[in-house]
Amino acid sequence: KAGVTQTPRYLIKTRGQQVTLSCSPISGHRSVSWYQQTPGQGLQFLFEYFSETQRNKGNFPGRFSGRQFSNSRSEMNVSTLELGDSALYLCASSLEYRDTEAFFGQGTRLTVV
Amino acid sequence: SQQGEEDPQALSIQEGENATMNCSYKTSINNLQWYRQNSGRGLVHLILIRSNEREKHSGRLRVTLDTSKKSSSLLITASRAADTASYFCATDAWGNTPLVFGKGTRLSVIA
């Protein structure tokens, strides 16, 4: 059974640009969550999606957005990139909404220069 | 915020020794989980303990939960070099709240 797949694994962008990150959950999983991980702030919750609906949103500016498709795949978009957006972005999938165990992908390492 | 706080931030031990990490949180929880992260990679689920449980075992892992003190501990017995990683506790509360992670304990096991 394939795990959670995040693409791309590494990304370098320039300030002011926008970026789209992709997450394919484990087959059959319907819930997807996104986290931003930085050395200073740790793991910060971004969004949680279930059945194409955003169920929760973390305390991030409107430049951060996401969506989930009918096949449960999810994307997140960051517009007008800032240096502080450099981080490891992690996606996690669960079988159902509010399921107890989350399965994480390897993450996308975004560097903003 | 119900964010967990792990203690210590970093821990260095010799192979074969036991490692204990602690997690404290602020609000009532539904479940508490522990995850491991190898350097710069995704998190791996280790163990889940429900709010009505006090202790749970999985292989060399032992987790305790004290809801009156809002704290949990993770014990890794007979540690191995391969246990070197960061360990995070994560809590979820009742209702529409997401899984919230602490900042982690970085464990180094020296062979």
Side-chain angles (χ1 to χ4, degrees), chain A residues 40-68:
Chain A
Q41 297 299 315
L43 278 147
Q44 300 286 307
F45 170 74
L46 281 159
F47 322 99
E48 183 176 20
Y49 288 92
F50 180 76
S51 292
E52 302 177 66
T53 302
Q54 187 179 91
R55 299 301 178 107
N56 262 305
K57 187 178 192 301
N59 189 24
F60 278 81
R63 300 185 297 107
F64 291 80
S65 62
R67 58 179 176 168
Q68 186 181 32

Side-chain angles (χ1 to χ4, degrees), chain A residues 11-24:
Chain A
L11 205 51
I12 300 175
K13 289 285 188 178
T14 305
R15 266 183 307 174
Q17 286 186 313
Q18 74 164 20
V19 67
T20 299
L21 311 182
S22 179
C23 172
S24 294

Side-chain angles (χ1 to χ4, degrees), chain A residues 11-20 63 77-83 85 110-113:
Chain A
L11 205 51
I12 300 175
K13 289 285 188 178
T14 305
R15 266 183 307 174
Q17 286 186 313
Q18 74 164 20
V19 67
T20 299
R63 300 185 297 107
N77 187 357
V78 188
S79 62
T80 320
L81 284 165
E82 300 177 359
L83 295 178
D85 297 332
L110 172 65
T111 302
V112 183
V113 298

